[in-house]
Amino acid sequence: MIGLISDVHGNAPALEAVLDSLDGMGVEQIVCLGDVAGYYSEVNACCAMLRARQVPTIMGNHDWYLGSGASCERSRSANDCLDYQRRVIEPDHLEWLRRLPRDMQVSGLRLIHGGWRDPLEEYLVPSDAYFEALDGTFFASGHLHVQYVWKGGQVTYCNPGAVGQPRDGDARAAFATWDGTEFSLHRVPYDVDRTAAAMQAAGFSEYYYENLYAGARIGGTLSRRPVD
């Protein structure tokens, strides 16, 4: 069984809770679908946890922003958080983020952060037409921060949701598992107060983390799955 995590976003307490849950399930391997960086203040701790476990990790758009010096054109708050992370990230962790691959295949499961049309920024909308141009049967990506499973005619797709910033109205950290034929979705509570305290200590106002208590994006809005 493989554990699938995505969109950690510097939220160390959420990552700890998810890794503990996956350990309890006895998964054989954990794979991260990107965005270790961005938003919350403990990017070094998150990099260290994944690297210590040798978790195969795909590059997400926030990882690319941080590593390249680029900004996020959609969000001033995201850029504020990235500016902070650029000041504090350890050079070895920054170099690790820069070297992350854009996609991956593990045991027949095809993985990417955004989508196969744009590995970093695409919000994938699954359909039979979308996947007919791709080889494979099982696919997973992150980026949306909403977990769901979609089954088409010949393809099954999973978005495991976000570890560090769920946006579907459920504040619990999200992740998924894959047993080789079926995806399962999971949620686990974590100590949001610890994340909030770390953000306060880093100099951020409540605006940047109050959304975590509601399972929403910064500013309080929710995201929806793109298919029924």
Side-chain angles (χ1 to χ4, degrees):
M1 185 165 61
I2 294 174
L4 300 175
I5 64 175
S6 189
D7 298 280
V8 176
H9 286 303
N11 190 336
L15 180 58
E16 289 172 1
V18 167
L19 293 177
D20 285 346
S21 290
L22 287 167
D23 287 344
M25 294 176 183
V27 298
E28 299 165 4
Q29 186 177 19
I30 300 170
V31 181
C32 178
L33 307 187
D35 274 0
V36 182
Y39 291 121
Y40 303 105
S41 58
E42 296 184 280
V43 63
N44 286 313
C46 292
C47 289
M49 278 187 271
L50 296 177
R51 296 182 70 190
R53 289 170 170 259
Q54 298 183 326
V55 172
T57 301
I58 295 168
M59 180 180 287
N61 56 308
H62 285 258
D63 306 322
W64 183 79
Y65 300 148
L66 188 61
S68 68
S71 61
C72 175
E73 296 181 357
R74 297 185 300 273
S75 173
R76 178 178 175 179
S77 57
N79 289 323
D80 291 341
C81 299
L82 287 163
D83 287 344
Y84 171 80
Q85 292 187 356
R86 289 189 181 101
R87 295 195 299 269
V88 303
I89 192 166
E90 297 173 11
D92 191 50
H93 291 327
L94 182 60
E95 186 59 29
W96 176 71
L97 290 174
R98 287 173 171 157
R99 295 196 308 266
L100 295 177
R102 298 290 182 99
D103 57 42
M104 192 178 297
Q105 184 163 312
V106 177
S107 300
L109 174 61
R110 295 192 61 178
L111 306 167
I112 208 161
H113 178 68
W116 281 266
R117 295 171 181 165
D118 184 337
L120 297 180
E121 300 284 4
E122 179 183 357
Y123 289 101
L124 191 154
V125 179
S127 68
D128 287 321
Y130 183 96
F131 289 108
E132 69 182 7
L134 302 172
D135 293 330
T137 304
F138 298 99
F139 298 82
S141 69
H143 192 47
L144 184 64
H145 295 223
V146 175
Q147 67 171 186
Y148 68 97
V149 174
W150 174 87
K151 293 187 177 183
Q154 303 295 327
V155 166
T156 304
Y157 164 82
C158 175
N159 190 312
V163 171
Q165 193 194 81
R167 295 177 179 174
D168 56 2
D170 186 336
R172 297 174 297 168
F175 64 102
T177 53
W178 184 63
D179 66 5
T181 58
E182 296 288 338
F183 293 100
S184 298
L185 304 178
H186 309 274
R187 304 300 282 246
V188 61
Y190 71 96
D191 191 347
V192 180
D193 288 343
R194 277 182 56 202
T195 305
M199 289 292 281
Q200 289 175 343
F204 286 92
S205 70
E206 188 179 52
Y207 172 77
Y208 291 88
Y209 56 81
E210 63 184 354
N211 57 298
L212 293 176
Y213 293 95
R217 65 173 67 236
I218 292 175
T221 60
L222 301 180
S223 297
R224 303 294 182 187
R225 53 181 288 179
V227 291
D228 295 328

